Amino acid sequence: MPLSVKSAIASAVLLLAASAAHAELTTYTSQAAYLAAVGTTGVDDYDDLIVDSFETPIVRSAGAISYTASAGPESTLAYGASDDEVDFWFTTNNRRDTITFDQFSRNIAGAGGFFFGSDLFGFSTPADSITITATDSTGASLTYTISNPGLSSFVGFVSSANLTSLSFNVGDQPGVWPTVNDLHLSVAAVPEPETYGMMLGGLGILGFLARRRQRKG
């Protein structure tokens, strides 16, 4: 293959890599807006839990997407919590700990849920804030802090790359434990038609250049 064609291909590869490196992370504070922005979404409602402790990391699933949930660094124990013992949530054993979701079984473009505080007995309780951070496959991260979160406080993140982790905590707020309900995990969206068009167009140009060089050779 002529050197010029090799250079063109290398340039195309670098361009695609540069596009991936500039992936965008977007925050949604409306469940409806988040669902409108993502593809197929699985939800882990945590209703199989009880008000009791369990060891993490633990493998769970949101629809067809499995993931690992862990608590730490002070304690690796987590708890089921609830106001009515019907709708259960996921919370920590140590109120200063962080809950992390990662090791997703599929490439996911979106992750989110309802984030709020619970008390020592597992009941929902007022909190000053809760901080959620998403990280994607390019190493980019985005943090969002909810002020005065409640049971209906939804936060979701969508990345044009693949999300690799979602974590949250309440810092050091006396009497408040970080809690999540209805974790949403959404598969990576199919590339837009114009993206395919640009890729195919670029490959077509490279093929034309290669054939032209061969005829001249």
Side-chain angles (χ1 to χ4, degrees):
M1 183 183 295
L3 182 60
S4 60
V5 176
K6 290 182 179 179
S7 299
I9 293 174
S11 298
V13 171
L14 289 173
L15 180 60
L16 291 174
S19 297
H22 288 85
E24 294 184 356
L25 269 167
T26 305
T27 305
Y28 292 86
T29 56
S30 160
Q31 182 187 25
Y34 169 85
L35 291 173
V38 295
T40 303
T41 298
V43 179
D44 189 349
D45 59 20
Y46 300 114
D47 288 347
D48 61 313
L49 299 179
I50 60 173
V51 182
D52 201 358
S53 65
F54 54 92
E55 186 69 41
T56 69
I58 185 172
V59 176
R60 294 190 58 87
S61 61
I65 306 169
S66 66
Y67 69 97
T68 298
S70 58
E74 298 296 329
S75 172
T76 57
L77 291 178
Y79 266 83
S82 178
D83 276 344
D84 56 14
E85 296 194 7
V86 174
D87 183 19
F88 283 86
W89 321 314
F90 185 110
T91 188
T92 59
N93 176 51
N94 187 304
R95 62 183 176 82
R96 298 182 184 88
D97 276 343
T98 295
I99 292 175
T100 300
F101 303 128
D102 57 12
Q103 299 183 42
F104 307 114
S105 63
R106 298 179 62 182
N107 290 338
I108 64 167
F114 295 91
F115 300 92
F116 50 95
S118 60
D119 63 18
L120 177 63
F121 302 101
F123 297 111
S124 60
T125 192
D128 292 334
S129 63
I130 188 165
T131 300
I132 310 104
T133 300
T135 302
D136 70 19
S137 55
T138 71
S141 64
L142 183 61
T143 296
Y144 185 86
T145 298
I146 312 172
S147 297
N148 304 311
L151 291 172
S152 61
S153 297
F154 181 89
V155 173
F157 298 88
V158 175
S159 173
S160 55
N162 300 317
L163 289 178
T164 55
S165 70
L166 184 73
S167 62
F168 66 99
N169 63 73
V170 296
D172 188 2
Q173 298 180 56
V176 180
W177 277 252
T179 308
V180 62
N181 193 23
D182 293 348
L183 177 70
H184 291 49
L185 298 179
S186 309
V187 297
V190 176
E192 297 293 335
E194 56 266 28
T195 303
Y196 282 128
M198 288 188 292
M199 292 174 63
L200 292 172
L203 291 174
I205 291 171
L206 292 177
F208 169 76
L209 289 173
R211 289 192 299 272
R212 183 179 178 185
R213 289 290 182 181
Q214 288 172 357
R215 284 198 299 268
K216 287 186 173 182

